[in-house]
Amino acid sequence: MEKTYQPQAIEGKHYQRWEENNYFQPSGQGDSYCIMIPPPNVTGSLHMGHAFQQTLMDALTRYHRMAGRNTLWQPGSDHAGIATQMVVERQLARDGISRHDLGRETFIDRVWQWKEESGNSITGQMRRLGDSVDWSRERFTMDEGLSNAVREVFVRLYEDDLIYRGKRLVNWDPKFHTAISDLEVESKEEQGSLWHFRYPLADGAKTAEGKDYIVVATTRPETMLGDTLVAVNPEDERYTNLVGKEVELPLVGRRLKIVADDYVDLEFGTGCVKITPAHDFNDYEVGKRHGSVLLNIFDQDAAVLAEAEAYDYQGKPVDYDTALPAGFAGLDRFEARKKIVADFDAAGLLDSIKDHTLMVPRGDRSDAVIEPWLTDQWYVSAKPLAEPTIKAVENGDIQFVPKQWENTFFAWMRDIQDWCISRQLWWGHQIPAWYDNEGSFYVGRSEADVREKHNLGSDVALTQDEDVLDTWFSSALWTFSTLGWPDDTEMLKTFHPTDVLVTGFDIIFFWVARMMMMTMHFIKDDDGKPQVPFKQVYITPLIRDENGQKMSKSKGNVIDPIDLIDGISADDLVAKRTYGLMQPKLEQKIEKATRKAFPDGMEPSGTDALRFTLTAMASQGRDVNFDVKRLEGYRNFCNKIWNAARYVQMNTEGEDCGQNGGDVELTLADRWIISGLQRLEADLERYYSNYRFDLMSQALYEFIWNEYCDWYLELSKPVLWDDNASAERKRGTRRTLVRVLETLLRLAHPVMPFITEEIWLSIKDLAGKTGDTIMLQPYPRADETKIDATAEADAEWLKGVIVGIRNIRGEMNIAPGKELPVLFQNGSSEDQRRLQENETFLKTLAKLESITWLNEGDDAPPASTQLVGQLKVLVPLAGLIDVAAEQARLSKAIDKAKQDLARVEGKLSNESFVSKAPEAVIAKEREKAEALAASVRELEGQLTQLDELG
RNA sequence: AGGACUAUAGCUCAGUUGGUUAGAGCGCUACCUUGACAUGGUAGAGGUCUCCAGUUCGAGUCUGGAUAGUCCUACCA
């Protein structure tokens, strides 16, 4: 083995071998265990969030595989309709081509080409991360099988009246020319104005104040072209007399009825609201209540039409005055706004303009202001689908971890709105509906299916709906479509319901909830009970940068996990972060921040260190800040493991390690480390079951570094280097050394697959193990019979004595190499036994020249003292120790002990504590008080002696 | 507007059903290249657990309130 840990030298070769040997495929033995990967967007690349979640999924997968489960981790990717189409359109735009220049078919071919390129880079990254997914089952949401499932689901939902088509207000993205769902709209606070317009009252009506006009306030003046009503609050005495009267809409000349509606807030603005039912969601409802028409004034670019379009609430065209004033046709909505305001001003009808902060809805992909727009779209009735999922979470069939996320889920689910699933895009699953020339439509699995079902001869021309389905529609089927549904496959029977979904809270609504709805509707047990898609949902925190900022390309703080693994120079990192920015002016800012955060770029840390870091950060919070410092610490941990293994190998290779039997004698150190190992195994099992990856990795770190390396390896040296030690004793130590190491490797393997495999292969023979890979070895389980309380107590004593002596060395500035004589005073027979059994350990680890046991009455020389229980460990002063320094040290120790004693005695003298606290707690406090009092006595005695001496 | 979450060492974070002296990594101080490891070892410094009140024999932990921050949902034209 190399002297230092070189991750790049050992990673990679193992992955290829694992994959070639099909180790990632389900074994076919044992109970099933299945995780479906949240399919990454096929045109993206993996970021820290993916690395984080995939590490946790891989750890779970490897753990359960080793624990004997029939394990499947299903990989795949998502076609990400709008995002992908956008990327490819942007590529085309560089050559001045639009998708319309290419035509639908050619454009889609281009997207497929890009998918091939990009998809390969993702799967490459996943391999670098060590993901043990079953590549033979890789799926893509646009695969034939999955597309078939999408069609099947669409048709069945339609037949169940759970999908319908209708002309409704939707969130329209005027940039991408598509409808989007509520979830894809992000409202942000922006500065705007509140314009107050005067609407003249018709037929000579007057307000209570005697004015011949009323004032309406609006943040969107351009929508006045589509006004159909004016509303006031029924309780508003200022306007009671006007309800039922009309106003004449300026510029347009249309007459609007004044209606009373609770929706209007008396306090806000003027208390009069203009109602534009076809361009505002609230107005839509108001209009519906008052029998208004829907008056659409915009085209798909949100530019003003030459003539408005009027519909009733069933979406049927109706007769209505649709004339619009001249000069607006073709104007963009913001241009139209300016002109409207100017025209009102010119007409003397602009009452006032006030600054106003409002929430502006923007498309999460396009950033364009979303326009509520009347279009024909397809919807899923969400409520009936949501009900069973709410029950499933309520009764525990599906559990969220951490549990608090169930509240988030319920809040959304109980107030769920119908889901607009059609998108006016080219890239995606085309909607399986066909139209004839009469305006009728037919839903079916294919054109032929439709013709057959509806007796449509070849003389009837049919054209398929041009729209595609929302990406989340196909990913909502992910848990069962990947397993072969709608066919009744063996895979489905074996692995569904899956065990756990590992994902972030940001897609609970987008994906998790919808997956639950679809799965429970379509997948049923033999007795008809709906199957859940997964039994648990583990919600991971979100990864942010070291300052708590969300990682994003535009902030220039994105970290590519591969850069952490391989390292990257500062120049390359800057180049990467500033490449292809949407806003080039950010370049300097990003370069500056990057050079400040990573002046020397990033050191290569290897996959195992990265994975361990990510695991250690997986606490129960909402987000975690990724700090590269932490990664460095865990890279050192890998080096520690590496070197510990080297030590073990150097001391066992070619030696008898008991793999072929033979008597062994176990030392205290052996029994102690074996005992501790059982506790570790039990802890890890618990941490896996409750998804406490942070505690799991902390437990591993702690045991390997602070127990096994710091103490056990050191304790093995006196045995192995002792020419007089018996063969049994040496064999026992070597066997323990190598067996504990081998066990630790298996325990750590799910988190650190590469280093553990590398070391395991080189020491497996010494441990008497066979097999070609650690990843198929059994996961260690605790054996309670090996927990040895006596050994643990003895070891604590031994460590206490050694640390005590080291403490004196440290504080008295005695050279570490200087061999010391020590004396033991006031020891019990137990202390004496422990000394006899462990004299060699003590002498070696504390670097002692001699140990003298003082019986009662024996004189002790002036010395520096440490207490280990009642036992006094004395290091004689002569020639070694500064009396003043020792006095200071003792005083400090006495103060500390007195303080503690005072607190404990305070507790014990408290009447109510003694009468109300449990026996065990009181007894503990009593013991503590006694021990502290004894310590104070002893230390004060020592101090007095020194004072006499000085 | 409603709801959720967070506040612990200089920094990033653990702290399970209330019960020893509140822990880890990084950073900091001193000493040490000793035959696994300087990506290391030994010893050490550093915390009024945001604030106030309450429950309790006992609160970092439970309850109420305040302050600060983050997020989600909804939205007044």
mmCIF file of all heavy atoms in Angstrom, chain A residues 39 78-79 141 150 153 157 419 421 470-481 496 509-520 522-523 533-534:
data_model
loop_
_atom_site.group_PDB
_atom_site.id
_atom_site.type_symbol
_atom_site.label_atom_id
_atom_site.label_comp_id
_atom_site.label_asym_id
_atom_site.label_seq_id
_atom_site.Cartn_x
_atom_site.Cartn_y
_atom_site.Cartn_z
ATOM 1 N N PRO A 39 -35.601 11.327 -11.035
ATOM 2 C CA PRO A 39 -34.895 11.417 -12.310
ATOM 3 C C PRO A 39 -34.366 12.822 -12.566
ATOM 4 O O PRO A 39 -35.154 13.764 -12.589
ATOM 5 C CB PRO A 39 -35.957 11.033 -13.338
ATOM 6 C CG PRO A 39 -37.260 11.285 -12.657
ATOM 7 C CD PRO A 39 -37.032 11.067 -11.203
ATOM 8 N N ASP A 78 -35.280 12.485 -16.667
ATOM 9 C CA ASP A 78 -36.542 13.128 -16.990
ATOM 10 C C ASP A 78 -36.363 14.023 -18.207
ATOM 11 O O ASP A 78 -35.340 14.680 -18.359
ATOM 12 C CB ASP A 78 -36.963 13.967 -15.774
ATOM 13 C CG ASP A 78 -38.371 14.517 -15.920
ATOM 14 O OD1 ASP A 78 -38.533 15.569 -16.568
ATOM 15 O OD2 ASP A 78 -39.288 13.885 -15.384
ATOM 16 N N HIS A 79 -37.386 14.082 -19.062
ATOM 17 C CA HIS A 79 -37.220 14.859 -20.287
ATOM 18 C C HIS A 79 -37.387 16.363 -20.064
ATOM 19 O O HIS A 79 -36.982 17.158 -20.903
ATOM 20 C CB HIS A 79 -38.188 14.379 -21.371
ATOM 21 C CG HIS A 79 -39.629 14.667 -21.077
ATOM 22 N ND1 HIS A 79 -40.371 13.896 -20.219
ATOM 23 C CD2 HIS A 79 -40.442 15.645 -21.516
ATOM 24 C CE1 HIS A 79 -41.611 14.384 -20.160
ATOM 25 N NE2 HIS A 79 -41.680 15.454 -20.935
ATOM 26 N N THR A 141 -38.078 9.239 -19.276
ATOM 27 C CA THR A 141 -39.532 9.457 -19.289
ATOM 28 C C THR A 141 -40.122 9.456 -20.703
ATOM 29 O O THR A 141 -41.331 9.308 -20.854
ATOM 30 C CB THR A 141 -39.917 10.779 -18.597
ATOM 31 O OG1 THR A 141 -39.070 11.817 -19.083
ATOM 32 C CG2 THR A 141 -39.762 10.673 -17.096
ATOM 33 N N VAL A 150 -47.911 6.664 -20.019
ATOM 34 C CA VAL A 150 -48.497 8.007 -20.005
ATOM 35 C C VAL A 150 -49.818 8.014 -20.767
ATOM 36 O O VAL A 150 -50.832 8.527 -20.282
ATOM 37 C CB VAL A 150 -47.515 9.034 -20.617
ATOM 38 C CG1 VAL A 150 -48.226 10.348 -20.916
ATOM 39 C CG2 VAL A 150 -46.339 9.279 -19.670
ATOM 40 N N VAL A 153 -52.544 6.089 -18.849
ATOM 41 C CA VAL A 153 -53.039 6.842 -17.697
ATOM 42 C C VAL A 153 -53.967 7.958 -18.165
ATOM 43 O O VAL A 153 -55.038 8.176 -17.595
ATOM 44 C CB VAL A 153 -51.852 7.416 -16.890
ATOM 45 C CG1 VAL A 153 -52.313 8.540 -15.967
ATOM 46 C CG2 VAL A 153 -51.186 6.309 -16.079
ATOM 47 N N LEU A 157 -57.853 8.039 -17.066
ATOM 48 C CA LEU A 157 -58.337 9.165 -16.250
ATOM 49 C C LEU A 157 -59.465 9.885 -16.973
ATOM 50 O O LEU A 157 -60.437 10.326 -16.357
ATOM 51 C CB LEU A 157 -57.192 10.146 -15.953
ATOM 52 C CG LEU A 157 -56.171 9.711 -14.901
ATOM 53 C CD1 LEU A 157 -55.066 10.756 -14.774
ATOM 54 C CD2 LEU A 157 -56.824 9.481 -13.542
ATOM 55 N N TRP A 419 -55.371 20.602 -11.880
ATOM 56 C CA TRP A 419 -54.014 20.695 -12.396
ATOM 57 C C TRP A 419 -54.072 20.848 -13.922
ATOM 58 O O TRP A 419 -54.589 19.960 -14.615
ATOM 59 C CB TRP A 419 -53.265 19.434 -11.970
ATOM 60 C CG TRP A 419 -51.903 19.220 -12.536
ATOM 61 C CD1 TRP A 419 -51.058 20.135 -13.079
ATOM 62 C CD2 TRP A 419 -51.216 17.965 -12.576
ATOM 63 N NE1 TRP A 419 -49.878 19.540 -13.447
ATOM 64 C CE2 TRP A 419 -49.940 18.209 -13.162
ATOM 65 C CE3 TRP A 419 -51.539 16.660 -12.167
ATOM 66 C CZ2 TRP A 419 -49.001 17.191 -13.353
ATOM 67 C CZ3 TRP A 419 -50.599 15.656 -12.363
ATOM 68 C CH2 TRP A 419 -49.352 15.929 -12.945
ATOM 69 N N ILE A 421 -52.642 20.417 -17.255
ATOM 70 C CA ILE A 421 -51.581 19.495 -17.679
ATOM 71 C C ILE A 421 -51.145 19.698 -19.122
ATOM 72 O O ILE A 421 -50.195 19.061 -19.575
ATOM 73 C CB ILE A 421 -52.023 18.022 -17.521
ATOM 74 C CG1 ILE A 421 -53.403 17.817 -18.127
ATOM 75 C CG2 ILE A 421 -51.973 17.608 -16.065
ATOM 76 C CD1 ILE A 421 -53.802 16.361 -18.226
ATOM 77 N N ASP A 470 -47.627 18.252 -19.368
ATOM 78 C CA ASP A 470 -46.693 18.735 -18.352
ATOM 79 C C ASP A 470 -45.708 17.606 -18.006
ATOM 80 O O ASP A 470 -46.089 16.445 -17.873
ATOM 81 C CB ASP A 470 -47.516 19.109 -17.100
ATOM 82 C CG ASP A 470 -46.660 19.672 -15.977
ATOM 83 O OD1 ASP A 470 -45.448 19.881 -16.187
ATOM 84 O OD2 ASP A 470 -47.221 19.913 -14.891
ATOM 85 N N THR A 471 -44.446 17.966 -17.901
ATOM 86 C CA THR A 471 -43.420 16.972 -17.576
ATOM 87 C C THR A 471 -43.757 16.170 -16.332
ATOM 88 O O THR A 471 -43.501 14.983 -16.244
ATOM 89 C CB THR A 471 -42.080 17.686 -17.300
ATOM 90 O OG1 THR A 471 -41.734 18.431 -18.440
ATOM 91 C CG2 THR A 471 -41.009 16.682 -16.980
ATOM 92 N N TRP A 472 -44.343 16.879 -15.355
ATOM 93 C CA TRP A 472 -44.613 16.204 -14.079
ATOM 94 C C TRP A 472 -45.710 15.155 -14.221
ATOM 95 O O TRP A 472 -45.890 14.331 -13.333
ATOM 96 C CB TRP A 472 -44.988 17.235 -13.017
ATOM 97 C CG TRP A 472 -43.872 18.206 -12.750
ATOM 98 C CD1 TRP A 472 -43.781 19.491 -13.187
ATOM 99 C CD2 TRP A 472 -42.673 17.953 -12.008
ATOM 100 N NE1 TRP A 472 -42.603 20.047 -12.757
ATOM 101 C CE2 TRP A 472 -41.904 19.139 -12.026
ATOM 102 C CE3 TRP A 472 -42.172 16.846 -11.316
ATOM 103 C CZ2 TRP A 472 -40.669 19.249 -11.398
ATOM 104 C CZ3 TRP A 472 -40.947 16.956 -10.686
ATOM 105 C CH2 TRP A 472 -40.205 18.146 -10.730
ATOM 106 N N PHE A 473 -46.436 15.202 -15.314
ATOM 107 C CA PHE A 473 -47.446 14.172 -15.545
ATOM 108 C C PHE A 473 -46.755 12.824 -15.717
ATOM 109 O O PHE A 473 -47.161 11.822 -15.144
ATOM 110 C CB PHE A 473 -48.270 14.515 -16.792
ATOM 111 C CG PHE A 473 -49.480 13.650 -16.988
ATOM 112 C CD1 PHE A 473 -50.694 14.003 -16.426
ATOM 113 C CD2 PHE A 473 -49.400 12.461 -17.725
ATOM 114 C CE1 PHE A 473 -51.822 13.197 -16.598
ATOM 115 C CE2 PHE A 473 -50.520 11.650 -17.887
ATOM 116 C CZ PHE A 473 -51.735 12.025 -17.322
ATOM 117 N N SER A 474 -45.686 12.788 -16.494
ATOM 118 C CA SER A 474 -44.998 11.507 -16.691
ATOM 119 C C SER A 474 -44.158 11.126 -15.484
ATOM 120 O O SER A 474 -44.049 9.950 -15.138
ATOM 121 C CB SER A 474 -44.141 11.531 -17.954
ATOM 122 O OG SER A 474 -43.254 12.630 -17.955
ATOM 123 N N SER A 475 -43.563 12.115 -14.816
ATOM 124 C CA SER A 475 -42.773 11.730 -13.642
ATOM 125 C C SER A 475 -43.665 11.313 -12.485
ATOM 126 O O SER A 475 -43.216 10.631 -11.571
ATOM 127 C CB SER A 475 -41.781 12.820 -13.237
ATOM 128 O OG SER A 475 -42.357 14.084 -13.310
ATOM 129 N N ALA A 476 -44.945 11.707 -12.539
ATOM 130 C CA ALA A 476 -45.877 11.257 -11.500
ATOM 131 C C ALA A 476 -46.102 9.741 -11.577
ATOM 132 O O ALA A 476 -46.581 9.136 -10.628
ATOM 133 C CB ALA A 476 -47.209 11.990 -11.637
ATOM 134 N N LEU A 477 -45.751 9.146 -12.712
ATOM 135 C CA LEU A 477 -45.957 7.702 -12.893
ATOM 136 C C LEU A 477 -44.675 6.912 -12.632
ATOM 137 O O LEU A 477 -44.629 5.696 -12.816
ATOM 138 C CB LEU A 477 -46.429 7.408 -14.333
ATOM 139 C CG LEU A 477 -47.432 8.384 -14.958
ATOM 140 C CD1 LEU A 477 -47.777 7.921 -16.382
ATOM 141 C CD2 LEU A 477 -48.688 8.473 -14.120
ATOM 142 N N TRP A 478 -43.628 7.638 -12.261
ATOM 143 C CA TRP A 478 -42.265 7.082 -12.227
ATOM 144 C C TRP A 478 -42.146 5.763 -11.454
ATOM 145 O O TRP A 478 -41.490 4.831 -11.900
ATOM 146 C CB TRP A 478 -41.332 8.138 -11.615
ATOM 147 C CG TRP A 478 -39.884 7.826 -11.687
ATOM 148 C CD1 TRP A 478 -39.046 7.590 -10.630
ATOM 149 C CD2 TRP A 478 -39.043 7.737 -12.868
ATOM 150 N NE1 TRP A 478 -37.758 7.374 -11.076
ATOM 151 C CE2 TRP A 478 -37.743 7.450 -12.435
ATOM 152 C CE3 TRP A 478 -39.293 7.869 -14.240
ATOM 153 C CZ2 TRP A 478 -36.678 7.300 -13.328
ATOM 154 C CZ3 TRP A 478 -38.232 7.710 -15.118
ATOM 155 C CH2 TRP A 478 -36.947 7.431 -14.653
ATOM 156 N N THR A 479 -42.784 5.685 -10.270
ATOM 157 C CA THR A 479 -42.573 4.489 -9.442
ATOM 158 C C THR A 479 -43.103 3.219 -10.091
ATOM 159 O O THR A 479 -42.590 2.143 -9.835
ATOM 160 C CB THR A 479 -43.238 4.615 -8.057
ATOM 161 O OG1 THR A 479 -44.577 5.058 -8.243
ATOM 162 C CG2 THR A 479 -42.490 5.579 -7.168
ATOM 163 N N PHE A 480 -44.163 3.363 -10.914
ATOM 164 C CA PHE A 480 -44.681 2.115 -11.507
ATOM 165 C C PHE A 480 -44.407 1.995 -12.997
ATOM 166 O O PHE A 480 -44.274 0.901 -13.531
ATOM 167 C CB PHE A 480 -46.162 1.914 -11.199
ATOM 168 C CG PHE A 480 -47.066 3.072 -11.579
ATOM 169 C CD1 PHE A 480 -47.690 3.095 -12.828
ATOM 170 C CD2 PHE A 480 -47.320 4.093 -10.692
ATOM 171 C CE1 PHE A 480 -48.537 4.133 -13.175
ATOM 172 C CE2 PHE A 480 -48.172 5.146 -11.035
ATOM 173 C CZ PHE A 480 -48.779 5.171 -12.276
ATOM 174 N N SER A 481 -44.276 3.146 -13.685
ATOM 175 C CA SER A 481 -44.009 3.046 -15.126
ATOM 176 C C SER A 481 -42.623 2.440 -15.368
ATOM 177 O O SER A 481 -42.423 1.700 -16.326
ATOM 178 C CB SER A 481 -44.113 4.420 -15.785
ATOM 179 O OG SER A 481 -43.140 5.307 -15.290
ATOM 180 N N HIS A 496 -42.831 -3.152 -5.949
ATOM 181 C CA HIS A 496 -43.819 -2.121 -5.642
ATOM 182 C C HIS A 496 -44.733 -2.597 -4.536
ATOM 183 O O HIS A 496 -45.183 -3.732 -4.605
ATOM 184 C CB HIS A 496 -44.654 -1.780 -6.896
ATOM 185 C CG HIS A 496 -45.286 -0.431 -6.840
ATOM 186 N ND1 HIS A 496 -46.426 -0.189 -6.128
ATOM 187 C CD2 HIS A 496 -44.913 0.765 -7.389
ATOM 188 C CE1 HIS A 496 -46.748 1.091 -6.248
ATOM 189 N NE2 HIS A 496 -45.847 1.696 -7.002
ATOM 190 N N PHE A 509 -44.728 19.238 -3.753
ATOM 191 C CA PHE A 509 -45.974 19.463 -4.485
ATOM 192 C C PHE A 509 -45.852 19.020 -5.935
ATOM 193 O O PHE A 509 -46.722 18.330 -6.465
ATOM 194 C CB PHE A 509 -46.355 20.946 -4.461
ATOM 195 C CG PHE A 509 -46.467 21.520 -3.084
ATOM 196 C CD1 PHE A 509 -46.175 22.856 -2.856
ATOM 197 C CD2 PHE A 509 -46.857 20.736 -2.013
ATOM 198 C CE1 PHE A 509 -46.279 23.399 -1.580
ATOM 199 C CE2 PHE A 509 -46.965 21.271 -0.738
ATOM 200 C CZ PHE A 509 -46.672 22.607 -0.519
ATOM 201 N N PHE A 510 -44.765 19.459 -6.559
ATOM 202 C CA PHE A 510 -44.549 19.159 -7.968
ATOM 203 C C PHE A 510 -44.596 17.663 -8.250
ATOM 204 O O PHE A 510 -45.164 17.215 -9.229
ATOM 205 C CB PHE A 510 -43.162 19.652 -8.409
ATOM 206 C CG PHE A 510 -43.124 21.091 -8.778
ATOM 207 C CD1 PHE A 510 -42.454 22.008 -7.982
ATOM 208 C CD2 PHE A 510 -43.738 21.544 -9.929
ATOM 209 C CE1 PHE A 510 -42.403 23.348 -8.328
ATOM 210 C CE2 PHE A 510 -43.690 22.883 -10.279
ATOM 211 C CZ PHE A 510 -43.018 23.785 -9.474
ATOM 212 N N TRP A 511 -43.930 16.934 -7.383
ATOM 213 C CA TRP A 511 -43.669 15.544 -7.733
ATOM 214 C C TRP A 511 -44.183 14.530 -6.725
ATOM 215 O O TRP A 511 -44.942 13.626 -7.078
ATOM 216 C CB TRP A 511 -42.147 15.365 -7.927
ATOM 217 C CG TRP A 511 -41.771 14.042 -8.504
ATOM 218 C CD1 TRP A 511 -42.350 13.426 -9.576
ATOM 219 C CD2 TRP A 511 -40.755 13.176 -8.041
ATOM 220 N NE1 TRP A 511 -41.745 12.227 -9.815
ATOM 221 C CE2 TRP A 511 -40.761 12.048 -8.894
ATOM 222 C CE3 TRP A 511 -39.827 13.236 -6.998
ATOM 223 C CZ2 TRP A 511 -39.866 10.991 -8.720
ATOM 224 C CZ3 TRP A 511 -38.927 12.190 -6.835
ATOM 225 C CH2 TRP A 511 -38.958 11.088 -7.695
ATOM 226 N N VAL A 512 -43.782 14.682 -5.466
ATOM 227 C CA VAL A 512 -44.110 13.668 -4.465
ATOM 228 C C VAL A 512 -45.622 13.477 -4.370
ATOM 229 O O VAL A 512 -46.134 12.351 -4.460
ATOM 230 C CB VAL A 512 -43.528 14.058 -3.091
ATOM 231 C CG1 VAL A 512 -43.844 12.991 -2.057
ATOM 232 C CG2 VAL A 512 -42.023 14.274 -3.192
ATOM 233 N N ALA A 513 -46.335 14.584 -4.205
ATOM 234 C CA ALA A 513 -47.783 14.509 -4.037
ATOM 235 C C ALA A 513 -48.456 13.919 -5.278
ATOM 236 O O ALA A 513 -49.355 13.091 -5.180
ATOM 237 C CB ALA A 513 -48.335 15.908 -3.759
ATOM 238 N N ARG A 514 -47.996 14.341 -6.439
ATOM 239 C CA ARG A 514 -48.626 13.851 -7.669
ATOM 240 C C ARG A 514 -48.327 12.384 -7.913
ATOM 241 O O ARG A 514 -49.163 11.635 -8.437
ATOM 242 C CB ARG A 514 -48.146 14.707 -8.851
ATOM 243 C CG ARG A 514 -48.781 16.087 -8.816
ATOM 244 C CD ARG A 514 -48.080 17.040 -9.717
ATOM 245 N NE ARG A 514 -48.739 18.342 -9.761
ATOM 246 C CZ ARG A 514 -48.225 19.399 -10.368
ATOM 247 N NH1 ARG A 514 -47.051 19.309 -10.985
ATOM 248 N NH2 ARG A 514 -48.857 20.539 -10.360
ATOM 249 N N MET A 515 -47.137 11.955 -7.500
ATOM 250 C CA MET A 515 -46.801 10.536 -7.624
ATOM 251 C C MET A 515 -47.726 9.711 -6.736
ATOM 252 O O MET A 515 -48.188 8.634 -7.103
ATOM 253 C CB MET A 515 -45.342 10.347 -7.191
ATOM 254 C CG MET A 515 -44.656 9.268 -7.927
ATOM 255 S SD MET A 515 -42.876 9.174 -7.731
ATOM 256 C CE MET A 515 -42.377 10.441 -6.671
ATOM 257 N N MET A 516 -47.996 10.254 -5.547
ATOM 258 C CA MET A 516 -48.886 9.554 -4.629
ATOM 259 C C MET A 516 -50.288 9.457 -5.232
ATOM 260 O O MET A 516 -50.938 8.401 -5.174
ATOM 261 C CB MET A 516 -48.913 10.295 -3.281
ATOM 262 C CG MET A 516 -47.625 10.082 -2.495
ATOM 263 S SD MET A 516 -47.300 11.309 -1.195
ATOM 264 C CE MET A 516 -48.670 11.072 -0.123
ATOM 265 N N MET A 517 -50.775 10.551 -5.821
ATOM 266 C CA MET A 517 -52.126 10.553 -6.395
ATOM 267 C C MET A 517 -52.243 9.524 -7.519
ATOM 268 O O MET A 517 -53.176 8.725 -7.562
ATOM 269 C CB MET A 517 -52.467 11.946 -6.931
ATOM 270 C CG MET A 517 -52.604 12.983 -5.849
ATOM 271 S SD MET A 517 -53.400 14.497 -6.431
ATOM 272 C CE MET A 517 -52.095 15.345 -7.230
ATOM 273 N N MET A 518 -51.300 9.566 -8.449
ATOM 274 C CA MET A 518 -51.373 8.678 -9.609
ATOM 275 C C MET A 518 -51.222 7.217 -9.193
ATOM 276 O O MET A 518 -51.951 6.341 -9.649
ATOM 277 C CB MET A 518 -50.274 9.034 -10.613
ATOM 278 C CG MET A 518 -50.499 10.353 -11.306
ATOM 279 S SD MET A 518 -52.034 10.361 -12.258
ATOM 280 C CE MET A 518 -51.800 11.803 -13.265
ATOM 281 N N THR A 519 -50.252 6.964 -8.319
ATOM 282 C CA THR A 519 -49.999 5.576 -7.942
ATOM 283 C C THR A 519 -51.198 4.972 -7.234
ATOM 284 O O THR A 519 -51.628 3.856 -7.545
ATOM 285 C CB THR A 519 -48.769 5.496 -7.025
ATOM 286 O OG1 THR A 519 -47.691 6.170 -7.652
ATOM 287 C CG2 THR A 519 -48.391 4.039 -6.762
ATOM 288 N N MET A 520 -51.758 5.723 -6.295
ATOM 289 C CA MET A 520 -52.856 5.146 -5.524
ATOM 290 C C MET A 520 -54.109 4.954 -6.365
ATOM 291 O O MET A 520 -54.954 4.122 -6.055
ATOM 292 C CB MET A 520 -53.139 6.005 -4.286
ATOM 293 C CG MET A 520 -51.962 5.961 -3.316
ATOM 294 S SD MET A 520 -52.320 6.690 -1.713
ATOM 295 C CE MET A 520 -53.379 5.447 -0.991
ATOM 296 N N PHE A 522 -53.971 4.049 -9.627
ATOM 297 C CA PHE A 522 -53.787 3.018 -10.651
ATOM 298 C C PHE A 522 -53.269 1.678 -10.145
ATOM 299 O O PHE A 522 -53.494 0.656 -10.764
ATOM 300 C CB PHE A 522 -52.845 3.534 -11.751
ATOM 301 C CG PHE A 522 -53.533 4.487 -12.672
ATOM 302 C CD1 PHE A 522 -53.331 5.854 -12.576
ATOM 303 C CD2 PHE A 522 -54.429 4.019 -13.628
ATOM 304 C CE1 PHE A 522 -53.989 6.740 -13.411
ATOM 305 C CE2 PHE A 522 -55.090 4.891 -14.478
ATOM 306 C CZ PHE A 522 -54.872 6.268 -14.372
ATOM 307 N N ILE A 523 -52.517 1.697 -9.045
ATOM 308 C CA ILE A 523 -51.909 0.447 -8.603
ATOM 309 C C ILE A 523 -52.662 -0.056 -7.370
ATOM 310 O O ILE A 523 -52.712 0.623 -6.352
ATOM 311 C CB ILE A 523 -50.416 0.641 -8.266
ATOM 312 C CG1 ILE A 523 -49.707 1.388 -9.392
ATOM 313 C CG2 ILE A 523 -49.762 -0.710 -8.001
ATOM 314 C CD1 ILE A 523 -49.655 0.658 -10.713
ATOM 315 N N PRO A 533 -46.948 4.518 -3.374
ATOM 316 C CA PRO A 533 -45.746 4.411 -4.212
ATOM 317 C C PRO A 533 -44.493 4.102 -3.399
ATOM 318 O O PRO A 533 -43.554 3.498 -3.906
ATOM 319 C CB PRO A 533 -45.637 5.789 -4.865
ATOM 320 C CG PRO A 533 -46.439 6.707 -4.007
ATOM 321 C CD PRO A 533 -47.499 5.875 -3.364
ATOM 322 N N PHE A 534 -44.501 4.541 -2.129
ATOM 323 C CA PHE A 534 -43.338 4.341 -1.256
ATOM 324 C C PHE A 534 -43.835 4.421 0.169
ATOM 325 O O PHE A 534 -44.835 5.082 0.453
ATOM 326 C CB PHE A 534 -42.271 5.421 -1.500
ATOM 327 C CG PHE A 534 -42.841 6.692 -2.060
ATOM 328 C CD1 PHE A 534 -43.602 7.527 -1.259
ATOM 329 C CD2 PHE A 534 -42.653 7.034 -3.391
ATOM 330 C CE1 PHE A 534 -44.154 8.684 -1.770
ATOM 331 C CE2 PHE A 534 -43.220 8.203 -3.909
ATOM 332 C CZ PHE A 534 -43.969 9.028 -3.092
#
